[in-house]
Short mmCIF file of all heavy atoms in Angstrom, two decimals:
data_model
loop_
_atom_site.label_atom_id
_atom_site.label_comp_id
_atom_site.label_asym_id
_atom_site.label_seq_id
_atom_site.Cartn_x
_atom_site.Cartn_y
_atom_site.Cartn_z
N SER B 44 90.57 -90.29 -25.07
CA SER B 44 90.43 -91.65 -24.56
C SER B 44 89.52 -91.69 -23.35
O SER B 44 89.18 -90.68 -22.77
CB SER B 44 91.80 -92.22 -24.17
OG SER B 44 92.20 -91.70 -22.92
N GLN B 45 89.17 -92.90 -23.00
CA GLN B 45 88.46 -93.18 -21.77
C GLN B 45 89.38 -94.03 -20.90
O GLN B 45 90.36 -94.59 -21.40
CB GLN B 45 87.14 -93.92 -22.04
CG GLN B 45 86.15 -93.11 -22.84
CD GLN B 45 85.69 -91.88 -22.06
OE1 GLN B 45 85.51 -91.94 -20.86
NE2 GLN B 45 85.50 -90.77 -22.77
N PRO B 46 89.11 -94.16 -19.60
CA PRO B 46 89.94 -95.04 -18.78
C PRO B 46 90.03 -96.44 -19.39
O PRO B 46 89.05 -97.00 -19.87
CB PRO B 46 89.18 -95.08 -17.44
CG PRO B 46 88.46 -93.77 -17.40
CD PRO B 46 88.07 -93.49 -18.83
N THR B 47 91.24 -96.97 -19.41
CA THR B 47 91.46 -98.29 -19.99
C THR B 47 90.76 -99.36 -19.17
O THR B 47 90.96 -99.46 -17.97
CB THR B 47 92.96 -98.60 -20.05
OG1 THR B 47 93.60 -97.59 -20.84
CG2 THR B 47 93.23 -99.96 -20.66
N ALA B 48 89.95 -100.17 -19.82
CA ALA B 48 89.25 -101.24 -19.11
C ALA B 48 90.11 -102.51 -19.14
O ALA B 48 90.69 -102.85 -20.16
CB ALA B 48 87.91 -101.52 -19.78
N GLN B 49 90.21 -103.18 -18.03
CA GLN B 49 90.97 -104.42 -17.95
C GLN B 49 90.08 -105.51 -17.35
O GLN B 49 89.44 -105.30 -16.32
CB GLN B 49 92.19 -104.25 -17.05
CG GLN B 49 93.27 -103.34 -17.65
CD GLN B 49 94.09 -104.07 -18.69
OE1 GLN B 49 94.01 -105.29 -18.81
NE2 GLN B 49 94.88 -103.33 -19.45
N PRO B 50 90.01 -106.67 -18.00
CA PRO B 50 89.22 -107.76 -17.41
C PRO B 50 89.86 -108.27 -16.14
O PRO B 50 91.07 -108.21 -15.97
CB PRO B 50 89.25 -108.83 -18.52
CG PRO B 50 90.52 -108.56 -19.26
CD PRO B 50 90.69 -107.06 -19.23
N ILE B 51 89.04 -108.75 -15.22
CA ILE B 51 89.57 -109.37 -14.02
C ILE B 51 90.25 -110.68 -14.38
O ILE B 51 89.71 -111.49 -15.13
CB ILE B 51 88.43 -109.64 -13.01
CG1 ILE B 51 87.71 -108.33 -12.67
CG2 ILE B 51 88.95 -110.31 -11.76
CD1 ILE B 51 88.60 -107.30 -12.03
N VAL B 52 91.47 -110.87 -13.90
CA VAL B 52 92.17 -112.12 -14.16
C VAL B 52 91.42 -113.26 -13.49
O VAL B 52 90.98 -113.13 -12.34
CB VAL B 52 93.61 -112.05 -13.61
CG1 VAL B 52 94.33 -113.37 -13.80
CG2 VAL B 52 94.37 -110.93 -14.30
N SER B 53 91.27 -114.36 -14.18
CA SER B 53 90.53 -115.48 -13.63
C SER B 53 91.18 -115.98 -12.35
O SER B 53 92.39 -116.16 -12.27
CB SER B 53 90.49 -116.62 -14.64
OG SER B 53 89.95 -117.78 -14.05
N ASP B 54 90.36 -116.19 -11.32
CA ASP B 54 90.90 -116.73 -10.08
C ASP B 54 90.80 -118.25 -10.06
O ASP B 54 90.90 -118.86 -9.01
CB ASP B 54 90.20 -116.11 -8.87
CG ASP B 54 88.70 -116.34 -8.87
OD1 ASP B 54 88.22 -117.04 -9.78
OD2 ASP B 54 88.03 -115.83 -7.99
N ASN B 55 90.62 -118.84 -11.24
CA ASN B 55 90.59 -120.29 -11.32
C ASN B 55 92.00 -120.88 -11.44
O ASN B 55 92.18 -122.08 -11.41
CB ASN B 55 89.77 -120.74 -12.54
CG ASN B 55 88.29 -120.40 -12.37
OD1 ASN B 55 87.77 -120.46 -11.25
ND2 ASN B 55 87.63 -120.03 -13.45
N ALA B 56 93.00 -120.00 -11.61
CA ALA B 56 94.38 -120.48 -11.67
C ALA B 56 94.75 -121.09 -10.32
O ALA B 56 94.26 -120.65 -9.28
CB ALA B 56 95.31 -119.32 -12.01
N PRO B 57 95.61 -122.12 -10.33
CA PRO B 57 95.99 -122.77 -9.06
C PRO B 57 96.60 -121.76 -8.09
O PRO B 57 97.48 -120.98 -8.45
CB PRO B 57 97.02 -123.81 -9.51
CG PRO B 57 96.75 -124.04 -10.96
CD PRO B 57 96.25 -122.74 -11.49
N LYS B 58 96.14 -121.79 -6.87
CA LYS B 58 96.65 -120.88 -5.85
C LYS B 58 97.98 -121.41 -5.33
O LYS B 58 98.09 -122.58 -4.98
CB LYS B 58 95.64 -120.79 -4.70
CG LYS B 58 95.91 -119.66 -3.72
CD LYS B 58 94.76 -119.57 -2.74
CE LYS B 58 94.88 -118.38 -1.82
NZ LYS B 58 93.73 -118.27 -0.90
N PRO B 59 99.01 -120.58 -5.28
CA PRO B 59 100.31 -121.05 -4.83
C PRO B 59 100.33 -121.30 -3.33
O PRO B 59 99.45 -120.87 -2.59
CB PRO B 59 101.25 -119.89 -5.20
CG PRO B 59 100.37 -118.69 -5.23
CD PRO B 59 99.03 -119.17 -5.70
N ASP B 60 101.37 -121.99 -2.89
CA ASP B 60 101.57 -122.24 -1.47
C ASP B 60 101.69 -120.92 -0.73
O ASP B 60 102.26 -119.96 -1.24
CB ASP B 60 102.86 -123.06 -1.29
CG ASP B 60 103.00 -123.62 0.12
OD1 ASP B 60 103.15 -122.82 1.06
OD2 ASP B 60 102.98 -124.85 0.27
N MET B 61 101.18 -120.87 0.49
CA MET B 61 101.24 -119.65 1.28
C MET B 61 102.68 -119.27 1.63
O MET B 61 102.97 -118.11 1.84
CB MET B 61 100.41 -119.82 2.56
CG MET B 61 100.02 -118.52 3.22
SD MET B 61 98.86 -117.56 2.22
CE MET B 61 97.44 -118.66 2.20
N ARG B 62 103.56 -120.25 1.66
CA ARG B 62 104.97 -120.00 1.98
C ARG B 62 105.77 -120.12 0.68
O ARG B 62 106.10 -121.21 0.22
CB ARG B 62 105.47 -121.00 3.02
CG ARG B 62 104.58 -121.12 4.25
CD ARG B 62 104.45 -119.81 5.04
NE ARG B 62 103.59 -119.99 6.21
CZ ARG B 62 103.35 -119.04 7.11
NH1 ARG B 62 103.87 -117.84 6.96
NH2 ARG B 62 102.57 -119.27 8.15
N TYR B 63 106.09 -118.98 0.10
CA TYR B 63 106.65 -118.92 -1.26
C TYR B 63 107.97 -119.66 -1.38
O TYR B 63 108.18 -120.41 -2.34
CB TYR B 63 106.82 -117.45 -1.67
CG TYR B 63 107.32 -117.27 -3.07
CD1 TYR B 63 106.43 -117.24 -4.14
CD2 TYR B 63 108.68 -117.14 -3.35
CE1 TYR B 63 106.88 -117.07 -5.44
CE2 TYR B 63 109.13 -116.97 -4.64
CZ TYR B 63 108.23 -116.94 -5.68
OH TYR B 63 108.68 -116.78 -6.97
N CYS B 64 108.88 -119.44 -0.43
CA CYS B 64 110.20 -120.07 -0.53
C CYS B 64 110.12 -121.58 -0.33
O CYS B 64 110.83 -122.34 -1.00
CB CYS B 64 111.15 -119.46 0.48
SG CYS B 64 111.58 -117.74 0.15
N ARG B 65 109.27 -122.01 0.59
CA ARG B 65 109.16 -123.44 0.86
C ARG B 65 108.76 -124.22 -0.39
O ARG B 65 109.23 -125.34 -0.60
CB ARG B 65 108.14 -123.69 1.97
CG ARG B 65 108.03 -125.16 2.38
CD ARG B 65 107.12 -125.33 3.58
NE ARG B 65 105.75 -124.93 3.30
CZ ARG B 65 104.80 -124.85 4.23
NH1 ARG B 65 105.10 -125.09 5.51
NH2 ARG B 65 103.57 -124.50 3.92
N GLN B 66 107.92 -123.61 -1.23
CA GLN B 66 107.48 -124.33 -2.42
C GLN B 66 108.59 -124.47 -3.46
O GLN B 66 108.44 -125.22 -4.43
CB GLN B 66 106.26 -123.64 -3.03
CG GLN B 66 106.55 -122.31 -3.69
CD GLN B 66 105.31 -121.66 -4.26
OE1 GLN B 66 104.25 -122.29 -4.37
NE2 GLN B 66 105.43 -120.41 -4.64
N GLN B 67 109.71 -123.78 -3.26
CA GLN B 67 110.85 -123.92 -4.18
C GLN B 67 111.71 -125.14 -3.82
O GLN B 67 112.62 -125.50 -4.57
CB GLN B 67 111.75 -122.67 -4.11
CG GLN B 67 111.05 -121.34 -4.09
CD GLN B 67 110.38 -120.99 -5.40
OE1 GLN B 67 110.86 -121.39 -6.47
NE2 GLN B 67 109.28 -120.25 -5.33
#
Side-chain angles (χ1 to χ4, degrees):
S44 78
Q45 296 295 322
T47 301
Q49 291 282 348
I51 302 299
V52 177
S53 171
D54 58 4
N55 293 325
K58 192 173 186 178
D60 192 295
M61 199 66 64
R62 310 298 180 177
Y63 183 86
C64 292
R65 184 174 64 188
Q66 70 181 348
Q67 317 291 329

